[in-house]
């Protein structure tokens, strides 16, 4: 039985059990696309994934994890870890994905003031994250666990933590889908945290975010992968006029995975600022894939990512800036800087610009280098051991990204995680 | 009291990568508390000499020996040499993004104290010494909120080198053109800093192109380094000879 047949059966059984007519609208195209195309394994013409070895994705027939598995002890320990790093989980700051029988297609939802469940009839799943864009997104759409909600001004200036806890069994497929609408004039922070457990699991979370006029979202994303799991993380954002989207990603690579962000700047005068750091080690492979579509005039976008690569790991950065014909006065920048800690580590950076407007200002640049020998010598000449000096240098490199995280708790959390990651990097 | 802090014998050194010989047999002895000055034409090997003493591994010592406090220096790593009491003020100090001067110096001072079996300084004790020294060398403390040396002017970098020397209190300070690019006030501040640190336990090896530094710091010995060899040694009178005749008369 081919892996596609396996998922076909899974999709069919999901379709049978899912009685909600409205969600079906989105599920069907995903199902069709996936059954036809499967995962994006082909190298030819496959710009997004061709640098990664995706074979492991089909090495097991993953089955859907059931919710009980997910909130077991692992979830508790995640909360504890967060607490110990200074994140106080206040009841109304957490969204817990819950049990089977409620109106959110099987989600139990704690609704703090200013946040409400969107009705299925008003939730257009797949509207922003097109299932035909990618096999992973398609599979997610076909068998998604859907949570759909809006946030309004009553939640302004607050932070919502969304914690994706580790799974507790091998060969599980996790396909969370969240559709989030930030209503007009609302200004919020969302902290999306993925704590992957050390099991052979295939995580494909997809967040669809719609920013209404003049709203502002700071989206902090933390992916803490493990040696065994796979995590293909997608964020799809749609921006209306005058809205602002900020993404700060902190990724410690899973065995294989991605941080895949696409921002559609559809409204005039909107801004987005995408930043992040990725650490890769062992033989892990991690893809940072960023797309910004400038569809309206007077928009400003910024992409700034850094990578620290050790051992025989591999990272890919592909950043795309697309400027539509009418999107005059676009200002778009892109930068990707990489620190290679060992000879075996590999980075592929592929910037791409596609510009159809004439009055635009775009810049891009990428670098990859080893720890600078002169700098190391300078530091050692002050009495610092080589490891101490190297760690300080890497820390300095990383800090620029961490310091731009505006949420205090997440910044501290990322900083502490960095301290845990650094000693494990091989300095060669 | 005829102790030698540094004894260099027939030192030859090459560029590791190419094998090109830069130092072709240097003999130099520095006694406790002495101040030596090295002058010489561009490319003569002055920086190479002080970097070989500091332990830079892009150079390879092909023959000869260096002893520091009677120990074989060539067996020690760069950082060990520093903790033993060698300090090099760089001709071109590195800019280190993301690393704060305070944090850097605290780590350096602690590393040295630890090697000597002394306890780490508390943040408070350290900060006091740090602030005092900044004031002495007249560095604006706002500057030190940036990343180390990043965006520092040439002169500010040099002052910062001297500041680090004051913090680490070495037994042998190697100053590689620390006076180049300094304004008159900075030059005086550097001169004062060196003079304040001069005592029977501390020696200096100062590389310079200009007599004006020697108006502030009176050296015990002056050496002229040409083509990887010391062409002549003497006292301050040598400097006047250079000013009048240039280096050609020594070649
Ligand atoms: N790492 C290196 N690789 C190749 N050549 C080198 C290297 N280091 C030094 N040299 C060469 O060795 C010679 C001496 O250089 P050095 O920097 O020691 O001179 P210097 O006396 O300090 O000159 P200046 O007065 O200009 O500072 C020069 O010809 C220089 O090009
Ligand atoms: Mg020099």
């Amino acid at each position: 039985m081919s892996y596609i047949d396996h998922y076909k059966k899974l999709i069919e059984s999901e379709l049978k059990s899912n009685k909600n007519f409205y969600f079906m609208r989105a599920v069907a195209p995903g199902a069709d696309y996936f059954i036809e195309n499967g995962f994006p394994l082909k190298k030819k013409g496959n710009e997004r994934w061709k640098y990664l070895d995706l074979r492991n994705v089909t090495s097991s027939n993953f089955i859907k994890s059931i919710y009980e598995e997910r909130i077991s002890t692992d979830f508790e320990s995640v909360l504890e870890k967060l607490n110990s790093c200074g994140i106080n989980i206040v009841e109304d700051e957490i969204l817990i994905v819950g049990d089977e029988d409620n109106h959110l297609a099987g989600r139990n939802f704690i609704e703090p003031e200013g946040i409400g469940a969107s009705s299925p009839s008003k939730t257009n799943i797949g509207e922003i994250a097109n299932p035909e864009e990618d096999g992973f997104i398609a599979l997610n759409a076909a068998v998604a666990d859907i949570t759909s909600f809006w946030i309004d001004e009553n939640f302004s200036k607050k932070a919502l933590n969304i914690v994706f806890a580790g799974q507790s069994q091998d060969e599980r497929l996790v396909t969370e889908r969240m559709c989030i609408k930030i209503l007009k004039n609302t200004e919020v922070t969302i902290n999306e945290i993925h704590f992957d457990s050390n099991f052979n699991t295939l995580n494909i979370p997809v967040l669809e975010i719609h920013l209404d006029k003049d709203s502002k979202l700071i989206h902090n994303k933390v992916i803490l992968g493990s040696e065994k799991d796979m995590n293909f993380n997608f964020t799809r954002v749609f921006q209306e006029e005058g809205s602002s989207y900020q993404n700060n990603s902190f990724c410690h690579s899973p065995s294989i995975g991605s941080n895949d962000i696409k921002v559609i700047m559809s409204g005039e005068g909107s801004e987005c600022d995408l930043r992040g750091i990725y650490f890769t080690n062992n033989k892990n492979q991690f893809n940072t894939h960023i797309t910004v579509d400038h569809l309206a005039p007077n928009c400003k976008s910024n992409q700034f990512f850094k990578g620290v690569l050790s051992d025989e790991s591999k990272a890919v950065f592909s950043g795309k800036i697309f400027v539509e014909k009418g999107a005059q006065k676009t200002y778009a920048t892109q930068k990707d800087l990489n620190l290679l800690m060992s000879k075996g580590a590999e980075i592929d950076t592929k910037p791409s610009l596609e510009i159809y407007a004439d009055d635009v200002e775009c810049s891009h640049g990428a670098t990859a280098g080893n720890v600078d020998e002169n700098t190391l010598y300078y530091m050692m000449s002050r009495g610092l051991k080589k490891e101490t000096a190297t760690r300080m240098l890497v820390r300095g490199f990383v800090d620029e990204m961490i310091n731009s995280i505006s949420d205090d708790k997440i910044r501290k959390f990322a900083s502490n995680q960095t301290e845990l990651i650094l000693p494990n990097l091989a300095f060669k | 009291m005829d102790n030698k802090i540094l004894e260099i014998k027939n030192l030859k050194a090459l560029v590791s990568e190419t094998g090109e010989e830069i130092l072709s047999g240097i003999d130099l002895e520095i006694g406790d508390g002495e101040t030596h000055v090295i002058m010489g034409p561009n490319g003569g090997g002055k920086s190479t000499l002080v970097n070989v003493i500091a332990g830079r591994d892009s150079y390879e010592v092909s023959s000869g020996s260096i002893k520091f406090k009677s120990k074989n220096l060539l067996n020690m790593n760069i950082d060990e040499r520093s903790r033993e009491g060698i300090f090099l003020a760089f001709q071109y100090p590195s800019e280190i993004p993301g690393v704060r001067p305070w944090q850097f110096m605290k780590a350096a001072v602690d590393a040295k104290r630890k090697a000597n079996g002394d306890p780490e300084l508390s943040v408070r004790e350290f900060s006091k010494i740090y602030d005092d020294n900044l004031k002495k060398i007249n560095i604006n403390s706002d500057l030190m909120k940036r990343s180390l040396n990043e965006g520092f002017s040439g002169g500010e970098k040099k002052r910062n080198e001297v500041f680090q020397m004051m913090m680490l209190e070495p037994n042998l300070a190697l100053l590689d053109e620390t006076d180049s690019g300094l304004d008159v006030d900075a030059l005086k501040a550097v001169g004062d800093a060196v003079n304040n640190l001069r005592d029977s336990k501390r020696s200096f090896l100062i590389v310079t192109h200009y007599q004006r530094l020697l108006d502030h710091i009176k050296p015990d010995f002056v050496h002229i380094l040409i083509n990887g060899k010391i062409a002549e040694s003497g006292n301050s009178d040598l400097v006047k000879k250079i000013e009048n005749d240039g280096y050609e008369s020594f070649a």
Side-chain angles (χ1 to χ4, degrees):
Chain A
M1 189 169 85
S2 85
Y3 81 89
I4 293 189
D5 291 335
H6 163 75
Y7 289 109
K8 191 173 170 189
K9 268 167 89 179
L10 178 69
I11 290 167
E12 279 163 2
S13 78
E14 285 284 313
L15 287 178
K16 247 179 253 156
S17 68
N18 194 340
K19 292 163 214 88
N20 195 310
F21 165 76
Y22 293 103
F23 284 157
M24 294 291 290
R25 286 188 312 212
V27 169
D32 290 347
Y33 182 88
F34 189 82
I35 290 167
E36 170 97 24
N37 300 284
F39 291 116
L41 301 176
K42 279 194 220 98
K43 298 261 170 193
K44 212 174 156 202
N46 181 3
E47 276 305 310
R48 185 178 302 179
W49 299 110
K50 74 174 178 193
Y51 295 94
L52 300 195
D53 181 357
L54 290 179
R55 276 175 301 181
N56 263 355
V57 172
T58 60
S59 64
S60 309
N61 285 332
F62 295 90
I63 58 168
K64 270 199 75 179
S65 69
I66 50 171
Y67 171 68
E68 280 71 24
E69 287 176 358
R70 274 182 254 159
I71 55 157
S72 57
T73 47
D74 277 319
F75 194 75
E76 295 296 321
S77 75
V78 166
L79 297 190
E80 243 169 57
K81 272 188 202 164
L82 289 172
N83 269 325
S84 69
C85 300
I87 293 188
N88 297 312
I89 310 266
V90 182
E91 183 121 318
D92 71 354
E93 278 188 354
I94 310 184
L95 173 80
I96 299 176
V97 280
D99 58 49
E100 290 293 318
D101 55 9
N102 93 0
H103 61 288
L104 274 163
R107 275 38 249 299
N108 177 24
F109 197 75
I110 299 170
E111 291 184 20
E113 205 196 343
I115 300 185
S118 309
S119 81
S121 64
K122 286 200 179 139
T123 302
N124 287 324
I125 294 153
E127 189 181 331
I128 307 173
N130 176 5
E132 293 176 2
E133 185 195 323
D134 191 280
F136 287 106
I137 299 178
L139 181 61
N140 172 292
V143 299
D145 296 309
I146 299 159
T147 308
S148 174
F149 59 95
W150 48 258
I151 304 179
D152 75 13
E153 277 183 281
N154 291 313
F155 197 78
S156 261
K157 313 268 184 207
K158 287 194 200 158
L160 175 73
N161 296 328
I162 305 177
V163 179
F164 295 80
Q167 279 69 54
S168 52
Q169 287 195 33
D170 269 333
E171 308 201 329
R172 290 296 189 272
L173 169 69
V174 190
T175 46
E176 292 289 346
R177 167 75 59 125
M178 293 204 175
C179 301
I180 306 170
K181 198 166 163 86
I182 312 294
L183 300 184
K184 207 172 154 181
N185 295 327
T186 306
E187 219 180 299
V188 293
T189 296
I190 289 179
N191 299 319
E192 175 193 352
I193 302 157
H194 296 264
F195 255 112
D196 297 344
S197 65
N198 204 9
F199 286 95
N200 176 22
T201 55
L202 177 57
N203 299 283
I204 313 173
V206 178
L207 256 65
E208 290 187 74
I209 301 169
H210 184 117
L211 290 173
D212 270 0
K213 191 167 176 245
D214 297 325
S215 64
K216 182 177 175 184
L217 173 63
I218 296 173
H219 179 191
N220 297 311
K221 173 147 76 167
V222 177
I223 299 174
L224 297 176
S226 73
E227 268 322 299
K228 280 192 177 168
D229 77 303
M230 300 181 256
N231 192 330
F232 297 90
N233 183 304
F234 293 86
T235 301
R236 293 293 177 267
V237 182
F238 185 89
Q239 290 192 254
E240 288 195 26
E241 194 182 331
S243 63
S244 152
Y245 176 71
Q246 236 183 71
N247 183 303
N248 272 296
S249 297
F250 181 92
C251 306
H252 188 202
S253 79
S255 72
I256 181 164
S258 63
N259 177 22
D260 193 311
I261 302 172
K262 180 173 183 175
V263 180
I264 302 159
M265 309 189 80
S266 160
E268 183 161 0
S270 47
E271 290 185 6
C272 77
D273 184 20
L274 317 175
R275 297 164 178 258
I277 178 92
Y278 44 90
F279 294 95
T280 60
N281 61 342
N282 295 328
K283 293 194 163 168
N284 299 346
Q285 306 175 59
F286 195 71
N287 192 348
T288 301
H289 187 265
I290 311 293
T291 310
V292 176
D293 283 356
H294 281 266
L295 306 185
N298 292 310
C299 293
K300 210 170 143 181
S301 73
N302 175 38
Q303 307 174 25
F304 184 20
F305 285 77
K306 284 189 178 182
V308 179
L309 287 64
S310 21
D311 305 321
E312 283 152 54
S313 63
K314 181 167 186 175
V316 181
F317 177 85
S318 48
K320 181 168 184 181
I321 299 171
F322 173 87
V323 183
E324 180 84 284
K325 204 168 170 197
Q328 300 296 5
K329 305 259 183 248
T330 287
Y331 179 83
T333 65
Q334 182 193 95
K335 195 158 66 169
D336 179 53
L337 312 178
N338 293 280
L339 203 48
L340 298 167
M341 305 300 300
S342 71
K343 285 203 179 76
E346 188 184 327
I347 174 80
D348 288 297
T349 61
K350 305 176 296 155
S352 85
L353 303 175
E354 212 178 311
I355 300 171
Y356 298 102
D358 44 34
D359 187 9
V360 298
E361 215 180 309
C362 286
S363 73
H364 67 93
T367 63
N370 306 101
V371 172
D372 182 60
E373 288 294 328
N374 291 333
T375 309
L376 215 47
Y377 167 54
Y378 182 75
M379 296 173 88
M380 288 171 73
S381 80
R382 271 45 176 156
L384 300 182
K385 292 206 173 93
K386 191 169 185 177
E387 299 84 75
T388 314
T390 311
R391 201 173 299 172
M392 210 180 251
L393 274 178
V394 179
R395 183 72 220 211
F397 179 75
V398 172
D399 270 349
E400 186 182 2
M401 304 320 287
I402 292 183
N403 290 339
S404 65
I405 302 175
S406 60
D407 186 283
D408 291 344
K409 292 164 190 167
I410 293 293
R411 188 176 59 250
K412 190 141 183 251
F413 180 70
S415 171
N416 290 344
Q417 282 301 321
T418 304
E419 283 308 303
L420 296 177
I421 293 167
L422 288 188
N424 296 325
L425 302 182
F427 301 135
K428 283 165 203 155
Chain B
M1 138 89 235
D2 217 19
N3 282 334
K4 300 292 177 204
I5 191 164
L6 187 77
E7 297 163 84
I8 300 180
K9 291 214 171 77
N10 188 32
L11 178 72
K12 294 187 180 172
L14 5 130
V15 177
S16 309
E17 222 170 54
T18 60
E20 183 196 347
E21 185 175 278
I22 312 288
L23 302 180
S24 322
I26 301 258
D27 291 287
L28 178 67
E29 288 191 346
I30 299 180
D32 284 346
E34 288 175 0
T35 296
H36 291 233
V37 160
I38 294 192
M39 302 182 83
N42 294 133
K46 303 179 294 298
S47 291
T48 304
L49 175 62
V50 290
N51 278 287
V52 167
I53 298 172
R56 174 160 217 158
D57 44 24
S58 50
Y59 300 111
E60 196 182 301
V61 173
S62 54
S63 75
S65 66
I66 309 181
K67 280 191 179 157
F68 178 64
K69 298 179 185 169
S70 305
K71 292 181 201 165
N72 181 0
L73 198 62
L74 297 176
N75 281 342
M76 296 182 211
N77 288 334
I78 304 159
D79 50 315
E80 284 173 309
R81 296 183 195 199
S82 164
R83 295 194 297 270
E84 273 291 330
I86 288 181
F87 178 89
L88 169 62
F90 281 58
Q91 184 172 4
Y92 306 108
S94 297
E95 302 195 358
I96 313 186
V99 173
R100 308 279 150 215
W102 190 95
Q103 159 209 13
F104 179 63
M105 274 336 284
K106 177 83 166 70
V109 168
D110 283 344
K112 185 164 181 185
R113 292 181 65 89
K114 201 170 154 204
N116 293 337
D118 296 327
E120 283 186 8
L121 291 175
S122 72
V123 166
R124 218 178 153 166
E125 290 165 321
F126 176 81
S127 289
K128 182 162 183 337
I129 302 171
Y130 185 89
D131 292 341
D132 285 352
N133 279 332
L134 278 186
K135 240 184 237 136
K136 274 189 211 157
I137 192 73
N138 200 7
I139 291 180
N140 184 340
S141 53
D142 278 345
L143 191 68
M144 301 300 262
K145 290 185 184 127
R146 292 190 205 156
S147 294
L148 187 62
N149 287 329
E150 210 171 48
F152 285 32
S153 74
E156 287 165 346
K157 280 183 185 161
K158 295 295 173 77
R159 275 190 213 232
N160 190 24
E161 293 294 289
V162 175
F163 166 70
Q164 293 182 29
M165 174 182 79
M166 293 158 80
M167 290 302 297
L168 289 167
E169 302 186 319
N171 301 110
L172 174 64
L174 314 164
L175 307 185
D176 192 359
E177 295 198 26
T178 304
D179 56 331
S180 295
L182 292 185
D183 63 41
V184 282
D185 294 336
L187 191 69
K188 183 169 182 312
V190 168
D192 289 347
V194 170
N195 288 329
N196 283 332
L197 283 175
R198 277 172 90 163
D199 69 21
S200 60
K201 288 261 154 45
R202 206 173 338 263
S203 309
F204 291 86
L205 181 59
I206 299 173
V207 175
T208 183
H209 286 294
Y210 307 107
Q211 187 184 1
R212 53 174 206 163
L213 178 70
L214 308 178
D215 296 338
H216 297 278
I217 304 168
K218 297 276 168 255
D220 300 304
F221 296 94
V222 175
H223 312 275
I224 297 168
L225 185 58
I226 299 175
N227 276 332
K229 281 196 177 130
I230 292 185
E232 188 146 341
S233 296
N235 59 20
S236 316
D237 294 341
L238 213 46
V239 181
K240 286 186 197 99
K241 203 172 153 203
I242 296 167
E243 292 278 315
N244 293 334
D245 308 342
Y247 290 115
E248 270 178 21
S249 57
F250 299 96

